[in-house]
Amino acid sequence: MLSNFDALDPRDRVIVAIDCGREEALELARKLQGKARWLKVGMTLYYAEGPSIVKAFKDLGFKVFLDLKFYDIPHQVEGAAYASALTGADMLTMHASGSIAMMQAGQRGAQRAADELGAPVPATLGITVLTSMDDAALAEIGVGRSCAEQVPLLAANAKAAGISGVVCSPQEASMMRELLGPAGYVVTPGVRPAGADKGDQSRVATPAQAFAAGSSHIVVGRPITQAPDPAAAFQAIIAELEQ
Ligand code: C5P
């Protein structure tokens, strides 16, 4: 299925995951400035540096995917989404397993901040089943269903809650695209350019494969951030996608 994102410039669809400390993060951001357009801030960097790292990236002209995976009572998630959106973050995550009511609260918080800022509302993404979990891990927490059953159930709940889309592996992207329709965000990590080191990722796809499967955006970290020339590594991915 085609998506509303297919016409975008590939630079608007490749998100660079910055998983390191502040100084290295800022150095990477400066190297990628004017080339990459999206950076991802995860828990490690955020809990060390707080909202100032998001603001620093925004000041350098980047869009920021703030991946904090909210999971709490709806009132708290509404507040977390509100505060995160006030930093200027352009994309937020929450666990779909926290309930439809919790996701709706997150959406409300993001919307309230956007209204106050007079800015577009950040994209809100649901995490279905963490890719680090398997059927045995679901059974351990009392979920008597397989990952293959649980992932689409939670994605359908994300859709019912009215959030923007999901984070998923490239292997799940086409199913998510069908489920969410052309406007849904389908954001996929686990992407490796052909020939790149897989690192600790097991099930990987190339950028072109991930987009062909229906991803709206891909998240690529170490193949860019640990390259001798991160800007050139980013540019090589874009060139491959533009072919
Ligand atoms: O360096 P690499 O390209 O593997 O980075 C992928 C990024 O996507 C990391 O920030 C990682 O935390 C994140 N991620 C992932 N797999 C998931 C969810 C998030 O690799 N299922």
Side-chain angles (χ1 to χ4, degrees):
M1 182 192 281
L2 290 176
S3 84
N4 296 357
F5 304 88
D6 293 333
L8 290 179
D9 185 319
R11 288 167 194 79
D12 291 313
R13 306 178 73 190
V14 178
I15 303 172
V16 185
I18 306 289
D19 298 314
C20 55
R22 184 182 184 90
E23 291 318 312
E24 200 188 331
L26 289 173
E27 195 186 320
L28 274 166
R30 285 189 206 99
K31 286 181 181 161
L32 292 167
Q33 198 178 12
K35 295 171 182 88
R37 297 180 184 166
W38 277 98
L39 301 180
K40 180 171 95 75
V41 175
M43 286 189 203
T44 303
L45 182 56
Y46 189 81
Y47 287 135
E49 302 300 336
S52 76
I53 193 71
V54 178
K55 291 183 177 134
F57 287 167
K58 294 291 297 186
D59 288 345
L60 290 170
F62 292 99
K63 288 188 165 183
V64 176
F65 172 14
L66 185 54
D67 183 19
L68 300 180
K69 299 186 176 67
F70 308 138
Y71 186 111
D72 205 329
I73 58 172
H75 179 255
Q76 279 295 311
V77 168
E78 181 169 347
Y82 171 75
S84 297
L86 279 187
T87 67
D90 301 277
M91 204 182 266
L92 307 173
T93 53
M94 57 192 94
H95 279 282
S97 52
S99 79
I100 292 175
M102 190 208 81
M103 289 187 275
Q104 288 170 330
Q107 182 67 29
R108 271 199 308 278
Q111 184 68 59
R112 187 153 53 87
D115 290 345
E116 281 180 24
L117 293 174
V121 65
T124 45
L125 306 177
I127 309 294
T128 58
V129 178
L130 292 169
T131 49
S132 53
M133 295 180 78
D134 56 13
D135 293 353
L138 283 181
E140 181 185 288
I141 59 165
V143 177
R145 305 161 62 99
S146 66
C147 289
E149 295 168 311
Q150 188 69 354
V151 167
L153 178 138
L154 290 171
N157 284 358
K159 187 179 183 187
I163 68 170
S164 311
V166 297
V167 181
C168 67
S169 80
Q171 282 71 24
E172 294 159 349
S174 65
M175 177 177 62
M176 292 296 142
R177 173 60 58 214
E178 290 295 323
L179 211 149
L180 299 177
Y185 279 68
V186 175
V187 178
T188 54
V191 174
R192 289 289 177 269
D197 184 0
K198 287 206 290 187
D200 53 7
Q201 300 280 11
S202 51
R203 294 179 303 138
V204 299
T206 66
Q209 285 167 343
F211 285 127
S215 300
S216 62
H217 300 77
I218 59 172
V219 178
V220 185
R222 288 160 291 178
I224 295 172
T225 59
Q226 294 186 357
D229 182 345
F234 177 82
Q235 206 45 53
I237 292 174
I238 298 302
E240 191 184 316
L241 289 169
E242 281 174 338
Q243 269 176 13

